[in-house]
Amino acid sequence: MTTSELRKDLISGRWVIIASERSKRPDDFRRPVSCEQKDAQAGFCPFCGGNESKTPPEIFAMRNPGTAPDTPGWTIRVVPNKFPALTRGESPQRKIRGIFESMPGIGVHEVVIESPDHDREINDLTPAQIQDILGVYQQRIRSIETEPQYQYVQLFKNKGNEAGASLSHPHSQIVATPIVPKRVKEKIYGSERYFKRTKVCLFCRTIEEERAAGERLVMVNAHFAVNTPFASRFPFEMRIHPLRHSPFFSSAGSDELNSLAEVLKSALARLKGILSDPPYNIVLHQAPHPETSRKVWPRIDLIFHWYLEIIPVLTRIAGFEWGTGFYINPVSPEAAAKFLRG
Ligand SMILES: [Zn+2]
Ligand SMILES: [Zn+2]
């Protein structure tokens, strides 16, 4: 049963999820409450080891041999979101009423609990532990993509109340949508335009130029480069690019995941050091479901290149940004990279 609905804004072409099962009264929006306050009010954390019965039954877990599902003994645990924005189902039918277009809120909404320990964030884990988390992300994405009605899988992490986290326990989320989001299409069209002109992947070219210039480069290891983007929207925004070209995160092999774990740990530790533990978002950018991608963009394998984005939440989106889509960034990406290089 779905109680949420996707509605299309005709002017922008953007879809909105009206998630009524998360329904709140106006009172709930009046005063922001921090995750820590909420956790304290609730008195316990449903994601901590020992509280397995307080989440919906697990979908997947890395656990010690001989331990039963939904009991202690796990290191990473994946559960359905208790208040999902979208719910599993068949490919949704579009409804048209007058000029208004909508569809049932079909999709997937999962939570990856990164550790049973409440106080150990990603940068506190070992690279091997982080690699396991990355492997679980891939496993979940591949599993969701066995059902082609889920056209786009979005992996993200909200850390801290200001970054949108409602629980402070280290976790990330996976939301799969029944349509390709507008922003994803825009990125693919942008890289397709560049490819048409040059026959080169825009991302491969960017990595090459950033490595040559060096001024926005934060670090490079065997398989990844980290830099602050030339047109960074936010202070200390970082992109983590795989050096090997591929549109799909799931294509990364274990050597690459190991390398990614290293740079992710290091990038987050640098951020924490410079900005004293800021709230942040981590966002995966990859091509939509391979079947959809190859049907709509036959050259997707050549034109798109997956990457991760880390956005510390230090500034607010305000009137000018809402009106124009412009961003005003008070820290140059060159200065940010210099601080991050230390
Ligand atoms: Zn906890
Ligand atoms: Zn590329």
Side-chain angles (χ1 to χ4, degrees), residues 195-238:
F195 187 87
K196 264 186 193 155
R197 256 192 307 125
T198 61
K199 300 284 173 278
V200 170
C201 162
L202 175 56
F203 300 87
C204 285
R205 184 67 203 272
T206 303
I207 298 161
E208 197 183 305
E209 296 228 356
E210 291 293 7
R211 292 183 74 176
E215 56 184 343
R216 285 174 297 275
L217 202 63
V218 178
M219 70 188 110
V220 181
N221 72 359
H223 298 285
F224 287 84
V226 184
N227 71 283
T228 56
F230 176 70
S232 292
R233 292 157 298 170
F234 306 106
F236 299 94
E237 173 183 342
M238 277 183 270

Coordinates of all heavy atoms in Angstrom, one line a residue, residues 195-238:
F195 N 30.5 15.6 -25.0 CA 31.0 14.4 -25.7 C 30.8 14.6 -27.2 O 31.6 14.2 -28.0 CB 30.3 13.1 -25.2 CG 30.9 11.9 -25.8 CD1 32.0 11.2 -25.3 CD2 30.4 11.3 -27.0 CE1 32.5 10.1 -25.8 CE2 30.9 10.2 -27.6 CZ 32.0 9.6 -27.0
K196 N 29.6 15.1 -27.6 CA 29.3 15.3 -29.0 C 30.3 16.2 -29.7 O 30.7 16.0 -30.8 CB 27.9 16.0 -29.2 CG 26.8 15.0 -29.4 CD 25.5 15.7 -29.7 CE 24.3 14.7 -29.6 NZ 23.1 15.4 -29.3
R197 N 30.8 17.2 -28.9 CA 31.7 18.2 -29.5 C 33.1 17.6 -29.5 O 33.9 17.9 -30.5 CB 31.7 19.4 -28.6 CG 31.0 20.6 -29.2 CD 31.3 21.9 -28.5 NE 31.0 21.9 -27.1 CZ 31.9 22.2 -26.2 NH1 33.1 22.6 -26.5 NH2 31.6 22.2 -24.9
T198 N 33.5 16.8 -28.5 CA 34.9 16.5 -28.3 C 35.3 15.0 -28.4 O 36.4 14.7 -28.5 CB 35.4 16.9 -26.9 OG1 34.6 16.2 -26.0 CG2 35.2 18.4 -26.7
K199 N 34.2 14.2 -28.4 CA 34.4 12.7 -28.3 C 35.2 12.3 -27.1 O 35.9 11.3 -27.1 CB 35.1 12.2 -29.6 CG 34.3 12.5 -30.9 CD 33.1 11.5 -31.0 CE 32.2 11.9 -32.2 NZ 31.2 13.0 -31.8
V200 N 35.1 13.1 -26.0 CA 35.9 12.8 -24.8 C 34.9 12.9 -23.6 O 34.0 13.7 -23.7 CB 37.0 13.8 -24.6 CG1 37.6 13.7 -23.2 CG2 38.1 13.6 -25.7
C201 N 35.1 12.0 -22.6 CA 34.2 12.1 -21.4 C 34.6 13.4 -20.6 O 35.8 13.6 -20.3 CB 34.4 10.9 -20.5 SG 33.9 11.1 -18.8
L202 N 33.6 14.2 -20.3 CA 33.8 15.5 -19.6 C 34.5 15.3 -18.3 O 35.3 16.0 -17.8 CB 32.5 16.2 -19.5 CG 32.4 17.5 -18.7 CD1 33.4 18.5 -19.2 CD2 31.0 18.0 -18.7
F203 N 34.1 14.2 -17.6 CA 34.6 13.9 -16.3 C 36.1 13.5 -16.3 O 36.9 13.9 -15.6 CB 33.8 12.8 -15.6 CG 32.3 13.2 -15.4 CD1 31.4 13.0 -16.4 CD2 31.9 13.9 -14.3 CE1 30.1 13.4 -16.3 CE2 30.6 14.3 -14.2 CZ 29.7 14.0 -15.2
C204 N 36.4 12.6 -17.3 CA 37.8 12.1 -17.5 C 38.7 13.3 -17.8 O 39.8 13.5 -17.2 CB 37.9 11.1 -18.6 SG 37.3 9.5 -18.2
R205 N 38.2 14.3 -18.6 CA 38.9 15.5 -19.0 C 39.1 16.4 -17.8 O 40.2 16.9 -17.6 CB 38.1 16.2 -20.1 CG 38.8 17.4 -20.7 CD 40.0 17.0 -21.5 NE 40.9 18.2 -21.5 CZ 40.9 19.1 -22.5 NH1 40.0 19.0 -23.5 NH2 41.8 20.1 -22.5
T206 N 38.0 16.5 -17.0 CA 38.1 17.3 -15.8 C 39.2 16.8 -14.8 O 40.0 17.6 -14.3 CB 36.8 17.4 -15.1 OG1 35.8 17.9 -16.0 CG2 36.8 18.3 -13.9
I207 N 39.2 15.5 -14.6 CA 40.1 14.9 -13.7 C 41.6 15.2 -14.2 O 42.5 15.5 -13.4 CB 39.9 13.4 -13.5 CG1 38.5 13.1 -13.0 CG2 41.0 12.7 -12.7 CD1 38.0 11.7 -13.2
E208 N 41.8 15.0 -15.5 CA 43.1 15.2 -16.1 C 43.5 16.7 -15.8 O 44.7 16.9 -15.4 CB 42.9 15.0 -17.6 CG 44.2 14.7 -18.4 CD 43.8 14.6 -19.9 OE1 43.0 13.7 -20.2 OE2 44.3 15.4 -20.7
E209 N 42.6 17.6 -16.1 CA 43.0 19.0 -15.9 C 43.2 19.4 -14.5 O 44.1 20.2 -14.1 CB 41.9 19.9 -16.5 CG 41.8 19.7 -18.0 CD 41.7 21.0 -18.8 OE1 41.7 22.1 -18.2 OE2 41.7 20.9 -20.0
E210 N 42.4 18.8 -13.6 CA 42.6 19.1 -12.1 C 43.9 18.6 -11.6 O 44.6 19.2 -10.8 CB 41.4 18.6 -11.3 CG 40.1 19.3 -11.5 CD 40.0 20.7 -11.0 OE1 41.0 21.3 -10.6 OE2 38.9 21.3 -11.1
R211 N 44.3 17.4 -12.1 CA 45.5 16.8 -11.7 C 46.7 17.6 -12.2 O 47.7 17.8 -11.5 CB 45.6 15.4 -12.2 CG 44.7 14.5 -11.5 CD 44.8 13.0 -11.9 NE 46.0 12.4 -11.3 CZ 46.3 11.1 -11.4 NH1 45.6 10.3 -12.1 NH2 47.4 10.7 -10.8
A212 N 46.6 18.1 -13.5 CA 47.6 18.9 -14.0 C 47.8 20.3 -13.3 O 48.9 20.7 -13.0 CB 47.4 19.1 -15.5
A213 N 46.6 20.9 -13.1 CA 46.6 22.3 -12.5 C 47.0 22.2 -11.0 O 47.8 23.0 -10.5 CB 45.3 22.9 -12.6
G214 N 46.4 21.2 -10.3 CA 46.8 21.0 -8.9 C 46.2 21.9 -7.9 O 46.1 21.6 -6.7
E215 N 45.7 23.1 -8.3 CA 45.3 24.1 -7.2 C 44.0 23.7 -6.5 O 43.8 24.2 -5.4 CB 45.2 25.5 -7.9 CG 44.3 25.5 -9.1 CD 44.3 26.9 -9.7 OE1 44.7 27.9 -9.1 OE2 43.8 26.9 -10.9
R216 N 43.2 22.9 -7.1 CA 42.0 22.4 -6.5 C 42.1 21.0 -6.1 O 41.1 20.4 -5.6 CB 40.8 22.7 -7.4 CG 40.4 24.1 -7.5 CD 39.3 24.3 -8.5 NE 39.7 24.0 -9.8 CZ 40.4 24.8 -10.7 NH1 40.6 26.0 -10.3 NH2 40.8 24.4 -11.8
L217 N 43.2 20.4 -6.3 CA 43.4 19.0 -5.9 C 43.6 18.8 -4.4 O 44.4 19.5 -3.8 CB 44.6 18.4 -6.7 CG 44.6 16.9 -7.0 CD1 43.5 16.5 -7.8 CD2 46.0 16.6 -7.7
V218 N 42.9 17.9 -3.8 CA 43.0 17.6 -2.4 C 43.9 16.4 -2.2 O 44.8 16.4 -1.4 CB 41.7 17.4 -1.7 CG1 41.8 17.1 -0.2 CG2 40.8 18.7 -1.9
M219 N 43.6 15.3 -2.9 CA 44.5 14.1 -2.9 C 44.2 13.2 -4.0 O 43.1 13.3 -4.6 CB 44.3 13.4 -1.5 CG 43.0 12.7 -1.4 SD 42.7 12.0 0.3 CE 41.4 13.2 0.8
V220 N 45.2 12.3 -4.3 CA 45.0 11.3 -5.3 C 45.6 10.0 -4.8 O 46.6 10.1 -4.1 CB 45.8 11.7 -6.6 CG1 45.6 10.6 -7.7 CG2 45.4 13.0 -7.2
N221 N 44.9 8.9 -5.0 CA 45.6 7.6 -4.6 C 45.5 6.7 -5.8 O 45.3 7.2 -6.9 CB 45.0 7.0 -3.3 CG 43.6 6.5 -3.4 OD1 43.0 6.5 -4.5 ND2 43.1 6.0 -2.3
A222 N 45.6 5.4 -5.6 CA 45.7 4.5 -6.7 C 44.5 4.6 -7.7 O 44.7 4.5 -8.9 CB 45.8 3.0 -6.2
H223 N 43.3 4.8 -7.2 CA 42.1 4.7 -8.1 C 41.2 5.9 -8.0 O 40.2 6.0 -8.7 CB 41.3 3.5 -7.8 CG 42.1 2.2 -8.0 ND1 42.3 1.7 -9.3 CD2 42.7 1.3 -7.2 CE1 43.0 0.6 -9.2 NE2 43.2 0.3 -7.9
F224 N 41.5 6.9 -7.1 CA 40.6 8.0 -7.0 C 41.3 9.4 -6.9 O 42.5 9.4 -6.4 CB 39.7 7.8 -5.7 CG 38.7 6.8 -6.0 CD1 39.0 5.5 -5.8 CD2 37.4 7.1 -6.4 CE1 38.0 4.5 -6.0 CE2 36.5 6.1 -6.7 CZ 36.8 4.8 -6.5
A225 N 40.6 10.4 -7.3 CA 41.1 11.8 -7.2 C 40.1 12.6 -6.4 O 38.9 12.4 -6.7 CB 41.4 12.4 -8.5
V226 N 40.5 13.4 -5.5 CA 39.6 14.2 -4.7 C 39.9 15.7 -5.0 O 41.1 16.1 -4.9 CB 39.7 14.0 -3.2 CG1 38.6 14.8 -2.4 CG2 39.5 12.5 -2.9
N227 N 38.9 16.5 -5.4 CA 39.2 17.9 -5.6 C 38.0 18.7 -5.2 O 36.9 18.2 -5.1 CB 39.6 18.1 -7.1 CG 38.4 18.0 -8.0 OD1 38.0 16.9 -8.3 ND2 37.8 19.1 -8.5
T228 N 38.2 20.0 -5.1 CA 37.1 21.0 -4.9 C 36.7 21.4 -6.3 O 37.6 21.8 -7.1 CB 37.5 22.2 -4.0 OG1 38.7 22.8 -4.6 CG2 37.9 21.7 -2.6
P229 N 35.4 21.4 -6.7 CA 35.1 21.7 -8.0 C 35.3 23.2 -8.4 O 35.2 24.0 -7.5 CB 33.6 21.4 -8.1 CG 33.2 20.7 -6.9 CD 34.3 20.9 -5.9
F230 N 35.7 23.4 -9.6 CA 36.0 24.8 -10.1 C 34.9 25.7 -9.8 O 35.2 26.8 -9.3 CB 36.2 24.7 -11.7 CG 36.5 26.0 -12.3 CD1 37.7 26.7 -12.1 CD2 35.5 26.6 -13.1 CE1 37.9 27.9 -12.7 CE2 35.7 27.8 -13.7 CZ 36.9 28.5 -13.5
A231 N 33.7 25.3 -10.1 CA 32.5 26.2 -9.7 C 31.8 25.6 -8.5 O 30.6 25.3 -8.5 CB 31.6 26.3 -10.9
S232 N 32.5 25.5 -7.4 CA 31.9 24.9 -6.2 C 30.8 25.8 -5.7 O 30.9 27.1 -5.7 CB 33.0 24.9 -5.0 OG 34.0 24.0 -5.3
R233 N 29.7 25.2 -5.4 CA 28.5 26.0 -4.9 C 28.7 26.4 -3.4 O 28.2 27.4 -2.9 CB 27.2 25.2 -5.1 CG 26.8 25.0 -6.5 CD 25.9 23.8 -6.6 NE 26.6 22.6 -6.2 CZ 26.0 21.4 -6.0 NH1 24.7 21.3 -6.1 NH2 26.8 20.4 -5.6
F234 N 29.3 25.5 -2.7 CA 29.4 25.6 -1.2 C 30.8 25.6 -0.7 O 31.7 24.9 -1.4 CB 28.6 24.5 -0.6 CG 27.2 24.3 -1.1 CD1 26.8 23.3 -1.9 CD2 26.2 25.3 -0.7 CE1 25.5 23.2 -2.4 CE2 24.9 25.2 -1.2 CZ 24.6 24.2 -2.0
P235 N 31.1 26.2 0.4 CA 32.5 26.2 0.9 C 32.9 24.7 1.2 O 32.1 24.0 1.8 CB 32.4 27.0 2.2 CG 31.1 27.8 2.1 CD 30.2 27.0 1.2
F236 N 34.1 24.3 0.8 CA 34.7 23.0 1.1 C 33.9 21.8 0.5 O 34.1 20.7 0.9 CB 34.8 22.9 2.7 CG 35.7 23.9 3.3 CD1 35.2 25.0 3.8 CD2 37.1 23.7 3.3 CE1 36.0 26.0 4.4 CE2 37.9 24.7 3.8 CZ 37.4 25.8 4.4
E237 N 33.1 22.1 -0.5 CA 32.5 21.0 -1.3 C 33.6 20.2 -1.9 O 34.6 20.8 -2.4 CB 31.6 21.7 -2.3 CG 31.0 20.9 -3.3 CD 30.1 21.7 -4.3 OE1 29.8 22.9 -4.1 OE2 29.9 21.2 -5.4
M238 N 33.5 18.9 -1.9 CA 34.5 18.0 -2.6 C 33.9 17.0 -3.5 O 32.8 16.6 -3.2 CB 35.3 17.3 -1.5 CG 36.4 18.0 -0.8 SD 37.3 17.0 0.4 CE 36.4 17.3 1.8

